[in-house]
Amino acid sequence: MLNRKVIMAIADGLGDRPHTLLGDKTPLEYARTPNLDHLASEGITGMMDLIAPGIPVGTDMGHLILFGYQPHHYPGRGPIEALGIGMEVKPGDIVFRCNFATVDENGIVVDRRAGRIRKKTEEIAQAINGIELEDGVVAYFKPATEHRAVLILRGAGLSDKISDSDPKAPNDGKPYHLVEPLDSSEEAERTAFLLNLYLKKAHEILSAHPVNVERVEAGNLPANFILTRGAGRMVDIEPVAEKLKINVSCIAGESTVLGAAELAGYKILTSNSMTGNIDTNIELKARLAIEEIANNDIVYVHMKAPDVKGHDNEPLEKAKSIELFDHMVGLIRQQLPENVYLALAADHSTPCEVGEHTGEPVPVVISGPSIRRDRVLQYNELDCAYGGLGHLTGGDFVRILHDFMGLVKKQGN
Ligand code: ZN
């Protein structure tokens, strides 16, 4: 059998629209991308809708699909965030995304982000982690970046059908919400009760914590409350790596992408120098991609910056971030073993004029051994629409790569 492998380079939020600041070109058309164009000219190209035409997807959903899952496998944002910051998540766990916040003595939210606290969150989180509530239900709490954190309730008979304690922006100056059941089940009622109990305990512990006492003395807002949102129940889902019996590595700086990779059973490679922005360490990413493909079947290498610049409505900066992506792909291409396909993809479009994800398709390329080359010479949203892969879904794209690797079972006899 042919021993074929895949490296997929993912430019987050790459797809865009023509922009007046770029002479009515898309950032990808405008950017100088000799390496991406070379791959398009020697490979097969197409346009991909992650789920279906016109459906915007989040980074979490987009990556789950690129990692080999179907949309209905989506476990919710909370479980993915938790996995991404290295928490253990078990089937049945109820997972919440949280903020450290500041409330006053009347339960009024003074600041939803506790003065955008950045320091010593590990210390205060430790004080409210591993608290046993009632009937064996335990609360696990871990900080993420800045004021963000994740809470897990673990135990029997819990439900994710409960409301948020977070009043959401722009509601500073209003009280936090008491958590309420969202259906009439006993589980939802019990979970809401236990979460309210936890939030009260956490408030007492945090208010007296030395880090917060110090913050108040220094004139900073104390992180004395936890606002919860987006309850999600962890599903019992088979990791893609186990199902397909393959070894896969994922190289990324962003916790959402790392969480989705963890769910899929992929090996995770990250570093502080992979920043999730334009200053990310592309040399390291490229070097790891080449090292990892030696002992793995698939390697994913991710870059976040194009999405960030799309959200910031910065077409010139987005073009610059794409040139960086081109440079990273060039470094990989130079050392690519002969039996490895190099695929280019994105998880969704983030047009600069919108500043949010939209449902427009993204261009894709597969180049490598014995590929049915098409006549497209450049990698962008307009040229790739003429490509040999045509218009396909994210699931189709991944299956085509798996088929090239000999992983897809023949139908019939
Ligand atoms: Zn985004």
Side-chain angles (χ1 to χ4, degrees), residues 251-254 258 269-288 302-305 324 328:
I251 302 157
E254 208 211 8
L258 295 171
L269 291 104
T270 190
S271 133
N272 288 337
S273 68
M274 299 181 191
T275 61
N277 211 319
I278 207 152
D279 55 353
T280 193
N281 188 344
I282 55 165
E283 286 80 13
L284 177 61
K285 285 185 182 177
R287 183 165 60 75
L288 288 175
H302 172 259
M303 182 188 282
K304 185 69 185 170
L324 198 71
M328 180 183 82

Side-chain angles (χ1 to χ4, degrees), residues 12-13 59 304 307-308 311 348 350 356-357:
D12 204 300
T59 291
K304 185 69 185 170
D307 181 55
V308 174
H311 283 292
H348 53 74
T350 312
E356 243 313 328
H357 304 185

Side-chain angles (χ1 to χ4, degrees), residues 44-117:
I44 187 165
T45 65
M47 294 301 287
M48 172 173 73
D49 291 297
L50 270 295
I51 295 179
I55 299 182
V57 303
T59 291
D60 48 2
M61 176 68 91
H63 280 82
L64 278 186
I65 293 169
L66 292 174
F67 290 163
Y69 283 114
Q70 299 295 318
H72 71 265
H73 291 128
Y74 182 66
R77 178 84 181 266
I80 293 176
E81 291 293 327
L83 289 164
I85 60 170
M87 290 177 96
E88 188 191 15
V89 190
K90 296 183 174 172
D93 282 357
I94 310 298
V95 190
F96 307 84
R97 299 167 66 210
C98 305
N99 275 13
F100 284 108
T102 308
V103 302
D104 70 11
E105 59 278 10
N106 301 315
I108 302 292
V109 178
V110 178
D111 186 349
R112 281 185 68 250
R113 302 187 178 102
R116 285 196 174 267
I117 185 168

Side-chain angles (χ1 to χ4, degrees), residues 344-379:
L344 303 178
D347 56 344
H348 53 74
S349 293
T350 312
C352 292
E353 72 156 11
V354 184
E356 243 313 328
H357 304 185
T358 65
E360 284 141 310
V362 295
V364 291
V365 176
I366 306 170
S367 79
S370 311
I371 207 88
R372 292 181 182 176
R373 194 171 63 235
D374 61 29
R375 289 173 186 159
V376 172
L377 301 176
Q378 286 179 317
Y379 182 59

Side-chain angles (χ1 to χ4, degrees), residues 65-294:
I65 293 169
L66 292 174
F67 290 163
Y69 283 114
Q70 299 295 318
H72 71 265
H73 291 128
Y74 182 66
R77 178 84 181 266
I80 293 176
E81 291 293 327
L83 289 164
I85 60 170
M87 290 177 96
E88 188 191 15
V89 190
K90 296 183 174 172
D93 282 357
I94 310 298
V95 190
F96 307 84
R97 299 167 66 210
C98 305
N99 275 13
F100 284 108
T102 308
V103 302
D104 70 11
E105 59 278 10
N106 301 315
I108 302 292
V109 178
V110 178
D111 186 349
R112 281 185 68 250
R113 302 187 178 102
R116 285 196 174 267
I117 185 168
R118 299 181 83 129
K119 289 182 186 149
K120 299 192 178 174
T121 51
E122 283 282 353
E123 257 176 74
I124 44 179
Q126 205 46 49
I128 54 171
N129 177 41
I131 292 181
E132 194 169 338
L133 300 167
E134 287 181 7
D135 312 324
V137 173
V138 180
Y140 297 94
F141 187 87
K142 190 170 176 183
T145 49
E146 299 180 359
H147 56 274
R148 298 176 197 91
V150 173
L151 170 69
I152 295 176
L153 294 184
R154 180 172 300 153
L158 297 174
S159 165
D160 60 350
K161 300 289 181 287
I162 58 168
S163 65
D164 301 336
S165 65
D166 189 349
K168 308 267 167 66
N171 281 324
D172 286 349
K174 298 204 176 140
Y176 69 83
H177 297 165
L178 268 182
V179 177
E180 301 196 29
L182 293 176
D183 66 20
S184 55
S185 69
E186 205 177 294
E187 288 83 5
E189 195 170 319
R190 180 163 170 267
T191 310
F193 167 77
L194 289 172
L195 181 54
N196 283 322
L197 182 70
Y198 174 74
L199 295 179
K200 190 162 166 275
K201 280 191 183 194
H203 179 51
E204 285 164 14
I205 294 168
L206 293 177
S207 299
H209 196 282
V211 169
N212 277 326
V213 173
E214 219 173 83
R215 282 180 71 82
V216 173
E217 279 168 5
N220 294 319
L221 292 170
N224 64 8
F225 199 78
I226 304 302
L227 294 174
T228 56
R229 61 182 179 278
R233 186 188 172 87
M234 181 61 177
V235 287
D236 196 358
I237 185 174
E238 188 181 14
V240 177
E242 271 173 36
K243 190 174 161 205
L244 296 176
K245 299 187 175 57
I246 50 175
N247 293 312
V248 183
S249 289
C250 176
I251 302 157
E254 208 211 8
S255 62
T256 307
V257 174
L258 295 171
E262 184 79 43
L263 188 76
Y266 298 167
K267 177 182 167 191
I268 277 169
L269 291 104
T270 190
S271 133
N272 288 337
S273 68
M274 299 181 191
T275 61
N277 211 319
I278 207 152
D279 55 353
T280 193
N281 188 344
I282 55 165
E283 286 80 13
L284 177 61
K285 285 185 182 177
R287 183 165 60 75
L288 288 175
I290 294 298
E291 281 175 18
E292 286 298 306
I293 201 62

